[in-house]
Amino acid sequence: MDGRRLLTNTLRTNAAFSLLAGLDFVVYDKNIADILSDMDVGSLMPTGISLIGFSIFVFIVSKNINKYLVGVIIFMDALWVLGSIFLMFASAVAFTKIGLALISITAAIIAMFAIFQSFGLVKHLEAQTRLSQAAGDAGSKYR
């Protein structure tokens, strides 16, 4: 699979996953909070709304690849993973076993998005560089 297709497919999968998670957090706010912890963790609605916005941003970027915006998405995914690890190990919130499993699985999925997006971006940029060099070489023959 070429880099652009890998990158586009991963970004769109990331957007769909983020949209579904965001909608779940908005619609099932209290239910999800109760599953994650026996303590009152507050509302997940702001997180859900943010995820919906993120999903729209990621989908738009997937339609018109911009290496800087893809870098921002990869960075945001990495922050989510690091934040999840921090929440699980350094938080005052006591998570349920199911809550810890869900947070861990979600973080692993998002880490895979970041990895595939990084790999796809590198392959895409390498292909663009090769095409640019080939076009420059072809143009220099006629100067």
Side-chain angles (χ1 to χ4, degrees):
M1 180 179 290
D2 70 3
R4 183 174 183 86
R5 190 170 348 157
L6 174 62
L7 182 55
T8 301
N9 289 344
T10 306
L11 287 168
R12 289 186 179 163
T13 304
N14 188 348
F17 183 81
S18 297
L19 178 63
L20 290 174
L23 290 172
D24 283 343
F25 281 10
V26 169
V27 175
Y28 302 108
D29 177 29
K30 189 64 180 153
N31 296 19
I32 294 173
D34 290 343
I35 290 170
L36 293 176
S37 176
D38 293 329
M39 299 172 60
D40 181 16
V41 294
S43 177
L44 297 175
M45 193 169 296
T47 304
I49 292 168
S50 297
L51 283 170
I52 293 167
F54 177 74
S55 71
I56 293 167
F57 170 66
V58 173
F59 183 76
I60 290 169
V61 171
S62 77
K63 295 181 82 162
N64 187 18
I65 301 297
N66 175 299
K67 65 182 178 182
Y68 301 108
L69 295 179
V70 171
V72 168
I73 293 166
I74 293 167
F75 180 72
M76 292 172 79
D77 285 341
L79 284 178
W80 182 280
V81 172
L82 292 173
S84 296
I85 293 167
F86 178 80
L87 274 177
M88 289 188 301
F89 295 108
S91 176
V93 175
F95 292 104
T96 63
K97 289 180 182 178
I98 294 172
L100 288 171
L102 289 173
I103 293 168
S104 299
I105 291 166
T106 302
I109 291 168
I110 293 170
M112 292 305 299
F113 289 151
I115 291 166
F116 284 126
Q117 288 162 174
S118 298
F119 185 69
L121 180 60
V122 167
K123 295 210 34 111
H124 172 64
L125 293 175
E126 287 173 351
Q128 279 189 324
T129 301
R130 282 192 304 274
L131 286 173
S132 177
Q133 289 173 343
D137 292 344
S140 68
K141 291 181 184 177
Y142 299 105
R143 288 185 196 171

